[in-house]
Amino acid sequence: MRHYEVVFLVHPDQSEQVPAMIERYRTMIESAKGAIHRLEDWGRRQLAYPLNKVHKAHYVLMNIECELETLRELESAFRFNDAVLRSLVIKRKHAVTTPSPLVKEAEEKSAAPASSAPEIEGGEIDAAESTSPDQI
């Protein structure tokens, strides 16, 4: 079996149907003895340029391992689904399981505000910290 990276864009009006679409594609791949190594739902994002007067789309990334027949069936499902604006399939040499840079960046941003806030234990401040530089 070969490894592929699949990205597809869904019309923003159909965003609530994305989990059902992902599940349908997952069963299609796994029923043909394929595997999904990485699945990331990037959510709604701004497009670089409008597609059919649409300025945003819902992005989904999948790294899969499957046979060529299954890939052709998946591409056909994308082609005949009106909610899918664009899709891209890239052949990979190895399975990619690490989080994408987009997800890493989002995780770092969500972790940064929590760790950057100073914590005061017991609610007390040292006397040295409370004095101003003029008083020293």
Side-chain angles (χ1 to χ4, degrees), residues 2-6 25 28-29 32 62 64-81 87-91:
R2 293 183 177 167
H3 299 280
Y4 300 98
E5 185 167 288
V6 180
Y25 300 144
M28 184 186 304
I29 293 165
M62 296 190 301
I64 62 174
E65 180 180 1
C66 65
E67 296 291 337
L68 185 61
E69 298 83 33
T70 308
L71 182 68
R72 296 289 179 232
E73 186 178 337
L74 187 65
E75 288 176 332
S76 177
F78 290 150
R79 191 174 304 115
F80 291 113
N81 188 345
S87 64
L88 176 70
V89 178
I90 301 172
K91 182 181 166 190

Side-chain angles (χ1 to χ4, degrees), residues 18-127:
V18 170
M21 294 170 67
I22 291 172
E23 191 59 35
R24 188 176 330 124
Y25 300 144
R26 176 190 302 253
T27 56
M28 184 186 304
I29 293 165
E30 290 175 351
S31 66
K33 296 182 177 58
I36 297 178
H37 297 288
R38 174 171 70 170
L39 176 63
E40 296 177 357
D41 186 352
W42 291 345
R44 256 188 217 185
R45 302 186 58 81
Q46 185 77 28
L47 294 171
Y49 56 89
L51 298 173
N52 300 331
K53 299 181 182 178
V54 175
H55 298 279
K56 290 188 176 191
H58 196 105
Y59 284 70
V60 178
L61 168 76
M62 296 190 301
N63 282 88
I64 62 174
E65 180 180 1
C66 65
E67 296 291 337
L68 185 61
E69 298 83 33
T70 308
L71 182 68
R72 296 289 179 232
E73 186 178 337
L74 187 65
E75 288 176 332
S76 177
F78 290 150
R79 191 174 304 115
F80 291 113
N81 188 345
D82 292 336
V84 177
L85 297 173
R86 292 281 193 275
S87 64
L88 176 70
V89 178
I90 301 172
K91 182 181 166 190
R92 305 295 293 216
K93 291 184 180 181
H94 305 288
V96 180
T97 57
T98 58
S100 65
L102 188 66
V103 171
K104 286 181 187 176
E105 180 181 309
E107 288 174 355
E108 288 173 1
K109 283 184 180 179
S110 66
S115 65
S116 66
E119 293 185 22
I120 301 174
E121 295 180 17
E124 297 180 21
I125 301 176
D126 290 344

